[in-house]
Amino acid sequence: MPELGSDYTVITGCRSCGAKDLVSIIEFGPMPLSDALFPPGQSREGEPRYPLSLVFCAVCSLVQIKETVRPETLFGEEYPYYSSFSPALVDHSRRNVSHLLEMLALDGTSLVVEIASNDGYLLQWFQKAGIPVLGIDPAPGPASTARERGIPTISEFFDLDLARRLAKEGQRADLIVGNNVLAHVPNQNELIEAMGELLKPEGTIVMEFPYVRDLIEHGEFDTVYHEHHCYFSVASVQSLFARHELTLTSVQRLAIHGGSLRTFFSRKGPADSSVSGILEEEERAGVHTYEFYEAFSERVQKRGDELVSLLEDLKADGSRIAAYGAAAKGAILLNYLGIDGRFLDYVVDRNTHKHGWEMPGIPLPIAGPERLLTEPVDYLLLLAWNFKEEIMSQQSEFAARGGQFIVPMPRPMVV
């Protein structure tokens, strides 16, 4: 049996408000770390797993996991995620930067700081516009790639000490950007305090993250994993930032990653109509109440059974199936539903840093997409379903040969 990892703790109060009223939404049981790719040919006996429990705070309505795995364990030397391998994500960031340049009066005297800047996929667009930038990312591989591209990057965890050090050096930010990082930090209040310390008095903070309402309504259980400590509604993120005298001034709903929010914060405001509008929508939907979440576990079980039944039927007909996308969400989907070598022959991914490894928890090899040509399959299960249009476009030859795609979310279907 895999060992339970020892380098984790369990919270006793809400990560945002500290309240003890945490109510269970779903228990996943012991799960591997979703980005901890496994060396091929080695015994899985000692592969660690960690409990994974999703809970709801009855006071501030923040959805969060109870377990905190050490950041150094999550984002160590072998951290394999490089944003630039997704053209759709790079283009998304380009359009985001274009909007921010139009919205904010940034020039050559400004400073844009990105927290969790990865391989420079976003900051490159500010830099090309002549805006000074600084990236901060603890993962050595992506940070090194960013520096090779000429993007100044500090390879450290962003915390209050680093923020104060940068501010003392005169590197205070006109704009702080954080895409899909807010959920990754276990100590939410220190993170917001640190951003406030780094931000200039008239500066702006822009955070982008998956929207908990979409996660729950679409049954996106595979987006719950140990790197994601929190899952925000507009109300819960507004409450968190307000505690540190930062005002939510605007919010945008985005389709990316199965449904996301882009939120804008400043010290003064005021808030525009988008904030009041989406808060009213959340109130009507009951997003602030436990009743909104209590049927999630049952919905997940139903969708999971549907996917497993579909795969069983296809295998019974003699079909060969592979998976596309050695994504973090894919590791959770495979492990929680028990989808292994009985169903799938292998996994492919464009990210060359993942080739030659195996999926966490499931001994499935990861190769480049060219394996689909040398070892053809009939179906591709899209583990990275949040980029399904991009993948299906890239795999037009696979489709032309008669291959079909299995999209697991929001409900399993063959396309």
Side-chain angles (χ1 to χ4, degrees), residues 56 83 112 133 135 154 183 238 295 301 316 324 327 353 403-404:
F56 170 79
S83 300
V112 176
V133 301
I154 298 174
Q238 181 186 52
Q301 189 62 53
Y324 195 110
H353 299 278
Q404 293 182 276

Side-chain angles (χ1 to χ4, degrees), residues 43-54:
S43 169
R44 293 272 177 161
E45 188 173 345
E47 184 179 14
R49 291 175 179 261
Y50 302 80
L52 184 61
S53 313
L54 191 68

Side-chain angles (χ1 to χ4, degrees), residues 343-366:
F343 303 96
L344 305 176
D345 292 353
Y346 54 85
V347 180
V348 297
D349 196 292
R350 292 183 74 242
N351 185 341
T352 55
H353 299 278
K354 298 182 180 184
H355 297 171
W357 293 79
E358 292 181 352
M359 292 294 292
I362 302 287
L364 286 168
I366 304 167

Side-chain angles (χ1 to χ4, degrees), residues 102-395:
E102 184 178 332
M103 174 184 175
L104 304 172
L106 301 175
D107 57 28
T109 66
S110 305
L111 176 63
V112 176
V113 176
E114 185 182 9
I115 304 168
S117 51
N118 202 261
D119 60 8
Y121 75 106
L122 182 140
L123 286 180
Q124 64 176 327
W125 303 114
F126 283 111
Q127 195 175 61
K128 288 176 181 178
I131 311 298
V133 301
L134 175 64
I136 302 172
D137 198 291
S144 176
T145 297
R147 286 191 289 269
E148 289 170 3
R149 301 167 78 168
I151 296 171
T153 304
I154 298 174
S155 189
E156 296 182 31
F157 287 98
F158 179 72
D159 57 17
L160 195 53
D161 288 342
L162 177 56
R164 287 172 174 165
R165 190 169 82 229
L166 291 172
K168 188 176 180 180
E169 294 171 355
Q171 295 194 78
R172 299 188 74 186
D174 297 89
L175 171 64
I176 297 176
V177 180
N179 284 358
N180 300 301
V181 63
L182 189 60
H184 287 66
V185 180
N187 189 333
Q188 291 288 297
N189 287 291
E190 181 180 353
L191 171 65
I192 310 309
E193 184 180 357
M195 286 194 284
E197 189 80 19
L198 187 61
L199 191 69
K200 289 181 181 177
E202 303 298 326
T204 301
I205 298 172
V206 181
M207 293 279 115
E208 192 173 305
F209 46 85
Y211 188 20
V212 73
R213 181 177 179 184
D214 291 321
L215 185 160
I216 297 299
E217 291 184 340
H218 301 160
E220 298 165 355
F221 70 91
D222 54 346
T223 60
V224 179
Y225 44 88
H226 295 97
E227 289 176 18
H228 288 172
H229 297 94
C230 300
Y231 305 83
F232 289 97
S233 64
V234 174
S236 62
V237 78
Q238 181 186 52
S239 173
L240 172 63
F241 277 77
R243 191 175 300 115
H244 301 275
E245 299 182 348
L246 289 163
T247 300
L248 176 62
T249 59
S250 187
V251 60
Q252 300 169 0
R253 291 192 71 171
L254 308 170
I256 195 168
H257 297 311
S260 298
L261 295 175
R262 182 178 295 153
T263 52
F264 299 76
F265 300 89
S266 69
R267 288 195 171 88
K268 296 182 178 180
D272 65 24
S273 60
S274 66
V275 176
S276 58
I278 199 165
L279 285 173
E280 289 171 3
E281 289 179 12
E282 289 186 350
E283 186 71 29
R284 287 193 298 271
V287 176
H288 315 148
T289 68
Y290 178 67
E291 287 71 24
F292 182 76
Y293 305 93
E294 63 180 346
F296 182 66
S297 181
E298 182 180 329
R299 192 179 312 132
V300 167
Q301 189 62 53
K302 181 180 179 181
R303 293 290 184 265
D305 290 345
E306 289 175 359
L307 178 58
V308 172
S309 294
L310 171 60
L311 296 176
E312 287 176 338
D313 290 344
L314 294 175
K315 292 300 290 185
D317 289 339
S319 298
R320 297 191 66 196
I321 310 170
Y324 195 110
K329 57 170 52 68
I332 295 300
L333 186 144
L334 297 180
N335 281 274
Y336 184 61
L337 299 181
I339 298 173
D340 54 20
R342 296 170 299 163
F343 303 96
L344 305 176
D345 292 353
Y346 54 85
V347 180
V348 297
D349 196 292
R350 292 183 74 242
N351 185 341
T352 55
H353 299 278
K354 298 182 180 184
H355 297 171
W357 293 79
E358 292 181 352
M359 292 294 292
I362 302 287
L364 286 168
I366 304 167
E370 59 275 7
R371 186 165 181 177
L372 295 170
L373 301 178
T374 59
E375 296 182 41
V377 295
D378 305 293
Y379 293 89
L380 264 182
L381 173 61
L382 301 187
L383 300 178
W385 51 262
N386 50 318
F387 292 118
K388 61 180 181 293
E389 289 85 2
E390 175 184 323
I391 296 170
M392 291 166 68
S393 175
Q394 291 172 357
Q395 293 303 315

